Amino acid sequence: MLAGLERFSPDAQPGPEHRTDGATRDPDPTLVAVDATDRLLLDEGASALASAGTGEVVVIDDRFGALTLGAAVAHGLTGVRVHQDAVTGEVALDRNAREAARRAFQGLDATFTHLPLGEDLLRGARVVLLQLPRSLAALRDVAEHVARFADPDVVLLAGGRIKHMTTAMNDVLAESFTDVRASLARQKSRVLVARGPRPGVDLTYPVTEHLTELDLDVVAYGAAFAGASLDLGTRFLLGFLDRVPPGAREAVDLGCGTGILAVSFARARPDAVVVATDQSEAAVRSARATAIAAGVGERVRVVRDDVGSSLADRSADVVLCNPPFHQGAALSTDAAHRMFATAGRVLRPGGELWTVYNSHLRYRPALERAVGPTTQEGRDPRFTVTRSVAR
């Protein structure tokens, strides 16, 4: 099914590659990464895809475009609606579609449309292909949307690597569908197939939790990291915000999640403005809602981009960063190193990067290289907080 695309597609998933100096090299953006889960999803869904009409197929969280482009090529589909929580997935799909159209598949880049998770994405859908998210909350959010807005005869095919799947995923799907089964395993992948949307499914997300210790209402959509709770690393870093120089007026929260750091800084500094960035649509929606609920929506601008790529050089006095150390379900420090590089670019000379990270990761040498002189400001049994001064 993917043979046409795989003429220029490696099996290996591309990603930023580490060099020994801690820097990263971006992948070739024109590569379509195809893995065993993509193939199994397309094979399990082949019959349903073959009978689907224009606008009846939805693809969710396609990482690099293999599902969307593979379905379009194999079945001549048009009007495919696509939602990718990560902006990097959107960029990869668009680039790969343009490259495929240029090389062999004219018009392929016009066969799909990007939409946020919601009714417009799913109205009338009869086939939904989903790369299983890591969190049950994200899966529940998707399943509820499909059950509520898609065609009553919809089939949802959710695929993943077996090592990252749990029976709890079946249970979450069963909350919204009457019939949930698992496919046979193939090449360490499996597909969960859900049919029969339950009537009257309500949407769980967004949820709002009041964090008493911060006197802050946190709003979270399903795919937002840590949900509406206070991440332990963020909690530790919050204790150091009063050490940020009083003259810091323009701040950036890199990888903002639900916006707790950005909002806390804005509330503590009434004269400060904060740009909060994240690649996740769910995180951006959550952070924006959290800022509005806290009454600082006019001073916290929330942006969806790839590791602060939209920020101007030398535009910030301070950067706050609690970098992830997972990429999907895999351990990875690539995002952290890219965040450090962004901080080094956007900070004015003498500006400060305040970072919290798991102590075993030993990021200090990388921070020295990417930003400037770095000192340890705090440490507990699990986390380290550092201050890096931009050159």
Side-chain angles (χ1 to χ4, degrees):
M1 180 172 291
L2 289 167
L5 288 173
E6 287 180 322
R7 289 187 297 106
F8 59 101
S9 305
D11 284 344
Q13 175 177 315
E17 298 179 31
H18 262 313
R19 300 203 306 258
T20 56
D21 63 357
T24 60
R25 177 168 62 83
D26 288 335
D28 180 347
T30 64
L31 296 179
V32 178
V34 182
D35 67 11
T37 302
D38 294 321
R39 295 188 183 92
L40 186 57
L41 271 168
L42 290 170
D43 287 348
E44 286 289 322
S47 177
L49 289 168
S51 61
T54 299
E56 293 184 342
V57 174
V58 172
V59 180
I60 299 178
D61 284 340
D62 190 359
R63 290 168 297 181
F64 292 93
L67 289 176
T68 305
L69 303 182
V73 168
H75 300 286
L77 296 172
T78 59
V80 178
R81 288 170 281 176
V82 182
H83 169 68
Q84 291 152 292
D85 183 63
V87 71
T88 51
E90 286 188 7
V91 172
L93 171 56
D94 289 345
R95 289 177 174 174
N96 287 324
R98 288 194 299 269
E99 180 66 10
R102 183 184 70 83
R103 296 193 185 192
F105 303 99
Q106 186 174 6
L108 184 61
D109 51 343
T111 58
F112 60 89
T113 303
H114 295 288
L115 290 168
L117 183 63
E119 183 175 359
D120 288 345
L121 174 74
L122 289 154
R123 187 188 304 111
R126 298 177 64 87
V127 184
V128 178
L129 303 180
L130 167 68
Q131 276 277 0
L132 277 167
R134 185 181 176 206
S135 78
L136 295 179
L139 178 59
R140 178 175 291 109
D141 204 5
V142 170
E144 289 174 352
H145 275 85
V146 175
R148 180 161 181 165
F149 298 121
D151 188 274
D153 292 328
V154 67
V155 55
L156 168 63
L157 299 107
R161 304 293 281 175
I162 292 173
K163 65 180 179 180
H164 300 143
M165 298 173 70
T166 67
T167 56
M169 292 177 172
N170 301 58
D171 298 336
V172 167
L173 290 174
E175 294 170 4
S176 297
F177 295 88
T178 59
D179 179 18
V180 179
R181 67 170 180 85
S183 74
L184 295 175
R186 192 179 78 191
Q187 293 182 292
K188 302 181 180 179
S189 294
R190 193 185 297 277
V191 171
L192 302 180
V193 182
R195 289 185 170 87
R198 296 186 183 277
V201 170
D202 291 326
L203 301 181
T204 300
Y205 303 94
V207 296
T208 302
E209 297 289 342
H210 183 73
L211 301 183
T212 303
E213 62 187 291
L214 302 179
D215 190 23
L216 176 67
D217 287 333
V218 178
V219 182
Y221 286 82
F225 173 73
S229 65
L230 178 58
D231 168 70
L232 295 177
T234 297
R235 174 187 278 122
F236 193 46
L237 181 54
L238 284 169
F240 296 85
L241 293 190
D242 59 356
R243 299 191 193 180
V244 175
R249 297 290 185 270
E250 294 180 88
V252 170
D253 180 1
L254 276 180
C256 65
T258 55
I260 293 175
L261 279 173
V263 169
S264 297
F265 190 83
R267 291 204 307 180
R269 310 276 180 114
D271 56 348
V273 292
V274 185
V275 179
T277 83
D278 205 292
Q279 70 163 346
S280 162
E281 181 184 76
V284 165
R285 295 171 72 184
S286 301
R288 189 173 291 126
T290 298
I292 291 171
V296 294
E298 293 184 355
R299 292 190 294 115
V300 176
R301 181 168 66 93
V302 187
V303 178
R304 183 174 179 237
D305 68 11
D306 182 17
V307 194
S309 58
S310 66
L311 303 179
D313 294 355
R314 305 293 182 252
S315 59
D317 300 315
V318 61
V319 173
L320 309 174
C321 185
N322 177 10
F325 58 96
H326 284 87
Q327 187 172 19
L331 291 172
S332 174
T333 59
D334 293 328
H337 286 277
R338 296 182 66 206
M339 287 179 170
F340 302 158
T342 295
R345 178 179 63 81
V346 304
L347 281 169
R348 299 184 176 104
E352 296 183 355
L353 166 64
W354 286 78
T355 312
V356 62
Y357 53 88
N358 290 72
S359 299
H360 72 274
L361 293 172
R362 303 185 184 279
Y363 280 148
R364 185 168 170 178
L367 288 163
E368 294 265 5
R369 287 189 294 269
V371 182
T374 298
T375 56
Q376 177 179 298
E377 298 293 321
R379 186 183 178 98
D380 70 7
R382 184 171 179 180
F383 296 104
T384 294
V385 168
T386 55
R387 177 177 67 98
S388 304
V389 180
R391 298 181 181 89

mmCIF file of all heavy atoms in Angstrom, residues 138-170:
data_model
loop_
_atom_site.group_PDB
_atom_site.id
_atom_site.type_symbol
_atom_site.label_atom_id
_atom_site.label_comp_id
_atom_site.label_asym_id
_atom_site.label_seq_id
_atom_site.Cartn_x
_atom_site.Cartn_y
_atom_site.Cartn_z
ATOM 1 N N ALA A 138 -5.292 11.941 26.667
ATOM 2 C CA ALA A 138 -5.334 12.322 25.253
ATOM 3 C C ALA A 138 -6.196 11.349 24.456
ATOM 4 O O ALA A 138 -6.967 11.754 23.574
ATOM 5 C CB ALA A 138 -3.921 12.372 24.686
ATOM 6 N N LEU A 139 -6.083 10.058 24.757
ATOM 7 C CA LEU A 139 -6.899 9.057 24.063
ATOM 8 C C LEU A 139 -8.378 9.259 24.367
ATOM 9 O O LEU A 139 -9.227 9.186 23.467
ATOM 10 C CB LEU A 139 -6.463 7.648 24.475
ATOM 11 C CG LEU A 139 -7.255 6.494 23.862
ATOM 12 C CD1 LEU A 139 -7.181 6.525 22.340
ATOM 13 C CD2 LEU A 139 -6.738 5.150 24.396
ATOM 14 N N ARG A 140 -8.693 9.524 25.617
ATOM 15 C CA ARG A 140 -10.096 9.755 25.993
ATOM 16 C C ARG A 140 -10.656 10.966 25.256
ATOM 17 O O ARG A 140 -11.791 10.949 24.774
ATOM 18 C CB ARG A 140 -10.199 9.949 27.504
ATOM 19 C CG ARG A 140 -11.612 10.240 27.989
ATOM 20 C CD ARG A 140 -11.700 10.298 29.500
ATOM 21 N NE ARG A 140 -11.502 8.977 30.088
ATOM 22 C CZ ARG A 140 -10.413 8.616 30.781
ATOM 23 N NH1 ARG A 140 -9.422 9.494 30.970
ATOM 24 N NH2 ARG A 140 -10.308 7.400 31.270
ATOM 25 N N ASP A 141 -9.878 12.028 25.158
ATOM 26 C CA ASP A 141 -10.338 13.231 24.476
ATOM 27 C C ASP A 141 -10.668 12.932 23.012
ATOM 28 O O ASP A 141 -11.713 13.351 22.491
ATOM 29 C CB ASP A 141 -9.252 14.311 24.568
ATOM 30 C CG ASP A 141 -9.812 15.726 24.439
ATOM 31 O OD1 ASP A 141 -11.038 15.888 24.364
ATOM 32 O OD2 ASP A 141 -9.005 16.676 24.437
ATOM 33 N N VAL A 142 -9.791 12.202 22.338
ATOM 34 C CA VAL A 142 -10.035 11.847 20.939
ATOM 35 C C VAL A 142 -11.255 10.933 20.823
ATOM 36 O O VAL A 142 -12.143 11.155 19.982
ATOM 37 C CB VAL A 142 -8.798 11.168 20.323
ATOM 38 C CG1 VAL A 142 -9.134 10.577 18.957
ATOM 39 C CG2 VAL A 142 -7.645 12.155 20.201
ATOM 40 N N ALA A 143 -11.302 9.893 21.653
ATOM 41 C CA ALA A 143 -12.400 8.919 21.560
ATOM 42 C C ALA A 143 -13.751 9.594 21.775
ATOM 43 O O ALA A 143 -14.733 9.305 21.070
ATOM 44 C CB ALA A 143 -12.194 7.805 22.577
ATOM 45 N N GLU A 144 -13.829 10.489 22.755
ATOM 46 C CA GLU A 144 -15.093 11.178 23.014
ATOM 47 C C GLU A 144 -15.509 12.056 21.840
ATOM 48 O O GLU A 144 -16.690 12.122 21.493
ATOM 49 C CB GLU A 144 -14.960 12.011 24.285
ATOM 50 C CG GLU A 144 -14.886 11.173 25.557
ATOM 51 C CD GLU A 144 -14.612 11.999 26.797
ATOM 52 O OE1 GLU A 144 -14.325 13.208 26.671
ATOM 53 O OE2 GLU A 144 -14.675 11.421 27.907
ATOM 54 N N HIS A 145 -14.553 12.730 21.231
ATOM 55 C CA HIS A 145 -14.871 13.549 20.060
ATOM 56 C C HIS A 145 -15.374 12.698 18.893
ATOM 57 O O HIS A 145 -16.336 13.067 18.210
ATOM 58 C CB HIS A 145 -13.637 14.356 19.635
ATOM 59 C CG HIS A 145 -13.468 15.643 20.381
ATOM 60 N ND1 HIS A 145 -12.837 15.707 21.604
ATOM 61 C CD2 HIS A 145 -13.847 16.913 20.075
ATOM 62 C CE1 HIS A 145 -12.835 16.974 22.023
ATOM 63 N NE2 HIS A 145 -13.448 17.715 21.114
ATOM 64 N N VAL A 146 -14.718 11.563 18.671
ATOM 65 C CA VAL A 146 -15.151 10.685 17.577
ATOM 66 C C VAL A 146 -16.562 10.174 17.849
ATOM 67 O O VAL A 146 -17.443 10.204 16.974
ATOM 68 C CB VAL A 146 -14.168 9.513 17.399
ATOM 69 C CG1 VAL A 146 -14.691 8.538 16.337
ATOM 70 C CG2 VAL A 146 -12.783 10.017 17.008
ATOM 71 N N ALA A 147 -16.792 9.688 19.060
ATOM 72 C CA ALA A 147 -18.106 9.130 19.397
ATOM 73 C C ALA A 147 -19.206 10.178 19.297
ATOM 74 O O ALA A 147 -20.341 9.877 18.890
ATOM 75 C CB ALA A 147 -18.071 8.520 20.789
ATOM 76 N N ARG A 148 -18.892 11.398 19.657
ATOM 77 C CA ARG A 148 -19.918 12.441 19.682
ATOM 78 C C ARG A 148 -20.233 13.025 18.308
ATOM 79 O O ARG A 148 -21.382 13.329 17.995
ATOM 80 C CB ARG A 148 -19.480 13.553 20.630
ATOM 81 C CG ARG A 148 -20.482 14.688 20.741
ATOM 82 C CD ARG A 148 -20.259 15.517 21.967
ATOM 83 N NE ARG A 148 -21.237 16.580 22.088
ATOM 84 C CZ ARG A 148 -21.461 17.269 23.190
ATOM 85 N NH1 ARG A 148 -20.769 16.994 24.278
ATOM 86 N NH2 ARG A 148 -22.351 18.235 23.224
ATOM 87 N N PHE A 149 -19.202 13.186 17.468
ATOM 88 C CA PHE A 149 -19.396 13.967 16.252
ATOM 89 C C PHE A 149 -19.326 13.166 14.943
ATOM 90 O O PHE A 149 -19.808 13.637 13.916
ATOM 91 C CB PHE A 149 -18.370 15.098 16.185
ATOM 92 C CG PHE A 149 -18.479 16.080 17.319
ATOM 93 C CD1 PHE A 149 -17.408 16.297 18.166
ATOM 94 C CD2 PHE A 149 -19.652 16.765 17.546
ATOM 95 C CE1 PHE A 149 -17.503 17.204 19.224
ATOM 96 C CE2 PHE A 149 -19.770 17.671 18.593
ATOM 97 C CZ PHE A 149 -18.694 17.891 19.432
ATOM 98 N N ALA A 150 -18.716 11.988 14.954
ATOM 99 C CA ALA A 150 -18.567 11.218 13.717
ATOM 100 C C ALA A 150 -19.872 10.519 13.347
ATOM 101 O O ALA A 150 -20.844 10.510 14.111
ATOM 102 C CB ALA A 150 -17.433 10.203 13.860
ATOM 103 N N ASP A 151 -19.887 9.926 12.166
ATOM 104 C CA ASP A 151 -21.039 9.160 11.710
ATOM 105 C C ASP A 151 -21.296 7.982 12.664
ATOM 106 O O ASP A 151 -20.347 7.395 13.204
ATOM 107 C CB ASP A 151 -20.761 8.633 10.298
ATOM 108 C CG ASP A 151 -21.983 7.997 9.677
ATOM 109 O OD1 ASP A 151 -22.202 6.790 9.926
ATOM 110 O OD2 ASP A 151 -22.704 8.700 8.955
ATOM 111 N N PRO A 152 -22.556 7.618 12.904
ATOM 112 C CA PRO A 152 -22.843 6.489 13.805
ATOM 113 C C PRO A 152 -22.193 5.179 13.366
ATOM 114 O O PRO A 152 -21.978 4.280 14.195
ATOM 115 C CB PRO A 152 -24.374 6.393 13.773
ATOM 116 C CG PRO A 152 -24.831 7.767 13.418
ATOM 117 C CD PRO A 152 -23.790 8.298 12.480
ATOM 118 N N ASP A 153 -21.874 5.049 12.088
ATOM 119 C CA ASP A 153 -21.235 3.833 11.585
ATOM 120 C C ASP A 153 -19.714 3.936 11.548
ATOM 121 O O ASP A 153 -19.045 3.099 10.929
ATOM 122 C CB ASP A 153 -21.747 3.511 10.174
ATOM 123 C CG ASP A 153 -23.214 3.096 10.170
ATOM 124 O OD1 ASP A 153 -23.650 2.493 11.169
ATOM 125 O OD2 ASP A 153 -23.912 3.405 9.189
ATOM 126 N N VAL A 154 -19.156 4.936 12.188
ATOM 127 C CA VAL A 154 -17.716 5.162 12.137
ATOM 128 C C VAL A 154 -16.935 3.975 12.700
ATOM 129 O O VAL A 154 -17.391 3.280 13.619
ATOM 130 C CB VAL A 154 -17.333 6.451 12.912
ATOM 131 C CG1 VAL A 154 -17.578 6.277 14.420
ATOM 132 C CG2 VAL A 154 -15.886 6.853 12.646
ATOM 133 N N VAL A 155 -15.757 3.741 12.125
ATOM 134 C CA VAL A 155 -14.808 2.798 12.698
ATOM 135 C C VAL A 155 -13.551 3.581 13.050
ATOM 136 O O VAL A 155 -13.026 4.340 12.233
ATOM 137 C CB VAL A 155 -14.490 1.635 11.732
ATOM 138 C CG1 VAL A 155 -14.004 2.134 10.388
ATOM 139 C CG2 VAL A 155 -13.460 0.690 12.363
ATOM 140 N N LEU A 156 -13.128 3.437 14.281
ATOM 141 C CA LEU A 156 -11.907 4.074 14.771
ATOM 142 C C LEU A 156 -10.829 3.016 14.879
ATOM 143 O O LEU A 156 -10.991 2.014 15.584
ATOM 144 C CB LEU A 156 -12.144 4.715 16.139
ATOM 145 C CG LEU A 156 -10.912 5.184 16.925
ATOM 146 C CD1 LEU A 156 -10.167 6.284 16.173
ATOM 147 C CD2 LEU A 156 -11.301 5.667 18.318
ATOM 148 N N LEU A 157 -9.720 3.221 14.160
ATOM 149 C CA LEU A 157 -8.586 2.296 14.207
ATOM 150 C C LEU A 157 -7.418 3.020 14.865
ATOM 151 O O LEU A 157 -6.919 4.019 14.332
ATOM 152 C CB LEU A 157 -8.214 1.822 12.807
ATOM 153 C CG LEU A 157 -9.312 1.058 12.074
ATOM 154 C CD1 LEU A 157 -9.904 1.934 10.970
ATOM 155 C CD2 LEU A 157 -8.782 -0.248 11.496
ATOM 156 N N ALA A 158 -7.013 2.529 16.021
ATOM 157 C CA ALA A 158 -5.971 3.185 16.814
ATOM 158 C C ALA A 158 -4.788 2.245 16.949
ATOM 159 O O ALA A 158 -4.905 1.173 17.549
ATOM 160 C CB ALA A 158 -6.511 3.565 18.191
ATOM 161 N N GLY A 159 -3.650 2.625 16.366
ATOM 162 C CA GLY A 159 -2.500 1.733 16.344
ATOM 163 C C GLY A 159 -1.342 2.220 17.181
ATOM 164 O O GLY A 159 -1.153 3.426 17.387
ATOM 165 N N GLY A 160 -0.552 1.272 17.652
ATOM 166 C CA GLY A 160 0.633 1.618 18.428
ATOM 167 C C GLY A 160 1.581 0.454 18.548
ATOM 168 O O GLY A 160 1.281 -0.672 18.132
ATOM 169 N N ARG A 161 2.751 0.726 19.116
ATOM 170 C CA ARG A 161 3.713 -0.324 19.411
ATOM 171 C C ARG A 161 3.263 -1.064 20.656
ATOM 172 O O ARG A 161 2.860 -0.443 21.655
ATOM 173 C CB ARG A 161 5.101 0.270 19.622
ATOM 174 C CG ARG A 161 5.605 1.101 18.450
ATOM 175 C CD ARG A 161 5.849 0.261 17.217
ATOM 176 N NE ARG A 161 7.123 -0.459 17.310
ATOM 177 C CZ ARG A 161 7.541 -1.342 16.409
ATOM 178 N NH1 ARG A 161 6.767 -1.645 15.374
ATOM 179 N NH2 ARG A 161 8.712 -1.923 16.551
ATOM 180 N N ILE A 162 3.333 -2.387 20.625
ATOM 181 C CA ILE A 162 2.799 -3.196 21.719
ATOM 182 C C ILE A 162 3.429 -2.824 23.059
ATOM 183 O O ILE A 162 2.747 -2.761 24.091
ATOM 184 C CB ILE A 162 3.005 -4.694 21.418
ATOM 185 C CG1 ILE A 162 2.122 -5.110 20.239
ATOM 186 C CG2 ILE A 162 2.680 -5.548 22.634
ATOM 187 C CD1 ILE A 162 2.362 -6.516 19.756
ATOM 188 N N LYS A 163 4.722 -2.522 23.063
ATOM 189 C CA LYS A 163 5.397 -2.219 24.327
ATOM 190 C C LYS A 163 4.865 -0.950 24.976
ATOM 191 O O LYS A 163 5.092 -0.724 26.171
ATOM 192 C CB LYS A 163 6.903 -2.123 24.112
ATOM 193 C CG LYS A 163 7.352 -0.977 23.222
ATOM 194 C CD LYS A 163 8.860 -0.975 23.072
ATOM 195 C CE LYS A 163 9.341 0.157 22.160
ATOM 196 N NZ LYS A 163 10.832 0.140 22.026
ATOM 197 N N HIS A 164 4.178 -0.107 24.201
ATOM 198 C CA HIS A 164 3.637 1.133 24.752
ATOM 199 C C HIS A 164 2.130 1.058 24.974
ATOM 200 O O HIS A 164 1.524 2.059 25.370
ATOM 201 C CB HIS A 164 3.945 2.304 23.814
ATOM 202 C CG HIS A 164 5.397 2.527 23.598
ATOM 203 N ND1 HIS A 164 5.930 2.923 22.384
ATOM 204 C CD2 HIS A 164 6.453 2.389 24.441
ATOM 205 C CE1 HIS A 164 7.233 3.028 22.489
ATOM 206 N NE2 HIS A 164 7.576 2.709 23.716
ATOM 207 N N MET A 165 1.525 -0.108 24.725
ATOM 208 C CA MET A 165 0.077 -0.257 24.860
ATOM 209 C C MET A 165 -0.266 -0.972 26.154
ATOM 210 O O MET A 165 0.480 -1.832 26.634
ATOM 211 C CB MET A 165 -0.488 -1.023 23.656
ATOM 212 C CG MET A 165 -0.286 -0.313 22.328
ATOM 213 S SD MET A 165 -0.779 -1.300 20.884
ATOM 214 C CE MET A 165 -2.570 -1.311 21.087
ATOM 215 N N THR A 166 -1.419 -0.590 26.734
ATOM 216 C CA THR A 166 -1.909 -1.241 27.949
ATOM 217 C C THR A 166 -3.388 -1.568 27.774
ATOM 218 O O THR A 166 -4.074 -0.998 26.923
ATOM 219 C CB THR A 166 -1.752 -0.321 29.172
ATOM 220 O OG1 THR A 166 -2.637 0.804 29.042
ATOM 221 C CG2 THR A 166 -0.319 0.182 29.303
ATOM 222 N N THR A 167 -3.870 -2.466 28.606
ATOM 223 C CA THR A 167 -5.294 -2.805 28.547
ATOM 224 C C THR A 167 -6.167 -1.625 28.961
ATOM 225 O O THR A 167 -7.356 -1.580 28.625
ATOM 226 C CB THR A 167 -5.596 -4.008 29.454
ATOM 227 O OG1 THR A 167 -5.162 -3.716 30.793
ATOM 228 C CG2 THR A 167 -4.881 -5.258 28.954
ATOM 229 N N ALA A 168 -5.592 -0.667 29.676
ATOM 230 C CA ALA A 168 -6.353 0.525 30.048
ATOM 231 C C ALA A 168 -6.802 1.303 28.819
ATOM 232 O O ALA A 168 -7.828 1.989 28.843
ATOM 233 C CB ALA A 168 -5.511 1.422 30.957
ATOM 234 N N MET A 169 -6.054 1.189 27.716
ATOM 235 C CA MET A 169 -6.462 1.858 26.480
ATOM 236 C C MET A 169 -7.765 1.258 25.956
ATOM 237 O O MET A 169 -8.641 1.988 25.476
ATOM 238 C CB MET A 169 -5.358 1.751 25.437
ATOM 239 C CG MET A 169 -4.117 2.554 25.782
ATOM 240 S SD MET A 169 -2.800 2.334 24.564
ATOM 241 C CE MET A 169 -1.633 3.588 25.131
ATOM 242 N N ASN A 170 -7.901 -0.068 26.043
ATOM 243 C CA ASN A 170 -9.163 -0.713 25.662
ATOM 244 C C ASN A 170 -10.306 -0.183 26.519
ATOM 245 O O ASN A 170 -11.404 0.093 26.019
ATOM 246 C CB ASN A 170 -9.064 -2.229 25.832
ATOM 247 C CG ASN A 170 -7.970 -2.852 25.004
ATOM 248 O OD1 ASN A 170 -6.798 -2.493 25.130
ATOM 249 N ND2 ASN A 170 -8.323 -3.810 24.171
#
